[in-house]
Structure formats: C-alpha cells, structure tokens
Amino acid sequence: KNEVEQSPQNLTAQEGEFITINCSYSVGISALHWLQQHPGGGIVSLFMLSSGKKKHGRLIATINIQEKHSSLHITASHPRDSAVYICAVPIRNTDKLIFGTGTRLQVFP
Amino acid sequence: DTGVSQNPRHKITKRGQNVTFRCDPISEHNRLYWYRQTLGQGPEFLTYFQNEAQLEKSRLLSDRFSAERPKGSFSTLEIQRTEQGDSAMYLCASSLVGAVYNEQFFGPGTRLTVL
C-alpha cells in the first residue's frame, strides 16, 4: 500500500463544475502539500497546510489530521484548471517529500 | 525571475552517453532536493543537500548517478552511461530550513529522453 494515495486518478469535468480531489496518507506528518503540474512538467505549490482549511481564489484545501485525509476543491472549474494535482507529505523528522501519483484533471468548455 | 531554475529543460541522448543537469535554487535557500518523475507517477526522492553537504541519497540513486553542490549554491546531477530506464523528468526543489514547514519550491524540471 502506498503511503500517499490519491483519488480519483483521472477526472473529467465540464466548465463550471465543482471538483473534489482526495488524498489519504498513512504516515505521521507536520504538513501536507498540494501541488499542480501542467503539461511540460513544472510543479507549482498550491497549498501547504497542517490543519483546518485554506482558500486561495477558487481553490480550497482541507485537512483532517485525525483521519489522515485531505481534500482539494475547485469551485467554478475552468479549462485552464486542467492539470495534474499531486499531494505530498514530508517523511517524519525530515522534509523529504513522499508524493501521491497525482490526479489528472481535464475541464472541458 | 527569482524562482528555481533548471537547465536544460529538455535533453535527448543516446544510450551510453553521459548527461549533466543543473539546478539554481532560490538564492537564500540552503536546502536543495533532486526528485525523479517517470511517466504517470508522482515524483520520487533522489537526494538532498544542506548547503554543500549531501545529507542523504535514495537507493534509487545508482552508482551511475552523482550529485554535487560545490559552493552551496547551484547543484549538478550527472548520469553516466545512460540507460533507457533513466528517461524521466528530473525535478529540483529548494527550501529554507527554519521557514514555515520548510516549504519546497520546485523548478520547471529537465525532461531526459534516452534513445
């Protein structure tokens, strides 16, 4: 079993739909990262959170430390949101990251 | 642009050749990480430096791989005698120890194709 698992692996949506991507992890963590990767490869950090909820524009990230689960929500999705979304957690007492395999999101107009 | 930069962005090479990639971190960052990402997978940790010291290497990093950060600033990753299985995206990230959660900032990656 992978230490970081994401679901779904692939997600297709119509423009305007509400999107949810889930991440579950099995290790103790200090914080969880949500990352975005566009075709071409570059990774952009969206959120880093250790508790509760964070919001940035149309993106919302939540985390439940007790349940070892985090969600990334996109409201009013847009074709430019099409990308791979990856969650990552640091290995305890280090800051080396373990990554999920990513969720590939395609938003159609 | 004061972000993490990587060069080259793309490299195509023939099996058996040596390749070297460069990463320039954010200037005040003292930690630098190398990750490898194969198609359809999340990145995997390869090695990391604090200043010029290489603190840890993954068992993924075979003897053909070597990384350096000679002056604690930029880093190079060299692959000798490349194999087709080395084809991947090589990502570099940097962070500042002591900053909030040591947040890592990623570069654009170097995509290696070994023919």
Side-chain angles (χ1 to χ4, degrees), chain A residues 74-95:
Chain A
I74 306 174
T75 62
S77 58
H78 190 276
R80 66 174 174 266
D81 297 327
S82 298
V84 176
Y85 293 85
I86 303 171
C87 70
V89 299
I91 299 171
R92 186 185 284 280
N93 297 325
T94 77
D95 53 357

Side-chain angles (χ1 to χ4, degrees), chain B residues 13-16 64 81-88 90 112-115:
Chain B
T13 192
K14 292 183 179 178
R15 190 175 50 187
R64 296 184 297 105
R81 304 180 304 281
T82 52
E83 301 173 356
Q84 288 185 324
D86 297 331
S87 296
Y90 290 83
L112 172 66
T113 302
V114 182
L115 302 176

Side-chain angles (χ1 to χ4, degrees), chain A residues 12-101:
Chain A
T12 302
Q14 286 294 124
E15 184 173 357
E17 286 186 10
F18 181 81
I19 304 292
T20 295
I21 299 170
N22 296 300
C23 176
S24 297
Y25 53 92
S26 58
V27 295
I29 66 168
S30 55
L32 180 143
H33 300 249
W34 279 105
L35 308 165
Q36 181 191 59
Q37 187 171 34
H38 279 282
I43 288 180
V44 173
S45 179
L46 298 174
F47 294 103
M48 196 160 56
L49 68 166
S50 61
S51 64
K53 175 177 165 179
K54 283 191 174 180
K55 184 175 190 293
H56 181 69
R58 294 180 295 104
L59 302 178
I60 303 167
T62 63
I63 189 167
N64 184 320
I65 294 290
Q66 287 73 30
E67 294 186 3
K68 296 187 174 178
H69 180 269
S70 176
S71 293
L72 177 68
H73 306 284
I74 306 174
T75 62
S77 58
H78 190 276
R80 66 174 174 266
D81 297 327
S82 298
V84 176
Y85 293 85
I86 303 171
C87 70
V89 299
I91 299 171
R92 186 185 284 280
N93 297 325
T94 77
D95 53 357
K96 298 183 300 180
L97 295 176
I98 308 172
F99 297 80
T101 54

Side-chain angles (χ1 to χ4, degrees), chain B residues 37-82:
Chain B
Q37 185 180 25
T38 52
L39 203 61
Q41 301 298 315
E44 295 174 294
F45 168 78
L46 290 179
T47 188
Y48 81 104
F49 294 83
Q50 180 154 323
N51 301 314
E52 65 276 7
Q54 188 172 19
L55 295 188
E56 188 168 344
K57 293 195 298 185
S58 163
R59 55 188 164 80
L60 292 175
L61 216 63
S62 77
D63 291 345
R64 296 184 297 105
F65 288 71
S66 61
E68 294 182 340
R69 195 183 182 198
K71 296 181 181 178
S73 57
F74 73 90
S75 175
T76 57
L77 177 68
E78 181 183 14
I79 309 174
Q80 296 183 323
R81 304 180 304 281
T82 52

